[in-house]
Amino acid sequence: MYKIMTPGPTQVAENVRLARSLECTNPDLDETFVEFYKETCEKISRLLKTKNETLILGGEGILGLEAACASMTEPGDRVLVLDNGIYGKGFADFVSMYGGIPDLYTADYKNTMDPEALKVRLEQDHDYKYATVVHGDTPSGMLNDISRICPLLHQYGIMTVVDSVSAMFGEPVETDAWNIDILCGGSQKAVSAPPGLTFVTISDAAKSSMNSRRTPVASFYANLTTFRNYYEEKWFPYTMPISDIYGLRAAIDNIEADPDMLKRHAMIGEASRKAVREAGLSLYLESGFSNTVTVFEVPDQTTDKAILETMKQDHNIMLAGSFGYLAGKVIRIGHMGSNATVANMTETFAALDATMEKLGVPLNASMEKTFRSQFPS
């Protein structure tokens, strides 16, 4: 098996794997599972600093994004789509799919979203039902400041749907303080559980909007309203993936027991960027660096495929390229969740040093040594 140092899925701790092997009950009939599900949802809400309800859905992180848009959008609704990356722009497809009218606010793809520039735009036009915001755009490693963006949108009466799948638990999130109406996460990023689950927190304002729809949601599975009163009625709209949820609970317990998680991500993110810079490689972004993934440009002397294959074949480590407009142009190192340890990153940078040497890419400094120097023993 490869050591996966990709920006999701990430490495999975043994206690999470073991939790998924527990004996199953019937989640449709056993009320003890309803209690377990609700307790897990409440724990996620607490960790994300919100009093809002959390729902866990049986599907990968994209399901949460689509379900949020499906549940919030009615035909003809204008939706502001904040776009400075692949996933930012991608929200427009979900809005259109459910009859909404996406209005893209497109910003520089190499820099974090500027709230002051956005404010100028909102002063000109703010007649939107809600806005979509990407916290962490994994393909580029972009981080947007939702602590400023979401309150700004709230000032103009615009609800928010936030994709924090690749950022939450590696970057600070204060859902209530930052006026986030729907916050979307996933199991396979910094949570460090296997892929297959998404979870969303839903504000009272968002619930009110969904409940007062004039038209039915044009989906069953991607429909957050189907969970209405699930706890009171002890009934789920579909059979819940019980083993996946057992694993998710163990991963959430791990996060709760790790008070230094955000600090560790910040230190590793900064040390990783320094290692890449001092080696003479070019980070893709100019600002807005996420502490969960480092993205650097493929050197002229080689290709993304050569780097990725050499890392796998010679060092048994899996990194990631990217896709869309970045296909073939960058390499991504995921240092989120269980990946985010000094030992993992030291091994990864040592392998990258050797890979670059083999492929004829000159380095100004050893990435391994630069990285390790930031963590004196």
Side-chain angles (χ1 to χ4, degrees), residues 201-247:
T201 71
I202 312 169
S203 72
D204 288 342
K207 286 184 179 181
S208 177
S209 177
M210 295 176 200
N211 293 337
S212 61
R213 292 175 61 103
R214 304 176 304 279
T215 58
V217 176
S219 175
F220 178 80
Y221 207 73
N223 181 351
L224 299 177
T225 69
T226 59
F227 282 80
R228 187 186 301 126
N229 300 323
Y230 83 88
Y231 181 69
E232 292 77 8
E233 297 172 4
K234 303 296 186 285
W235 177 89
F236 292 106
Y238 52 81
T239 301
M240 302 306 294
I242 182 171
S243 296
D244 288 343
I245 293 174
Y246 284 161

Side-chain angles (χ1 to χ4, degrees), residues 96-119:
S96 298
M97 191 181 303
Y98 292 99
I101 303 170
D103 187 1
L104 267 71
Y105 173 76
T106 300
D108 185 352
Y109 271 39
K110 284 203 169 188
N111 286 284
T112 190
M113 187 75 64
D114 180 2
E116 293 304 317
L118 176 60
K119 183 176 181 179

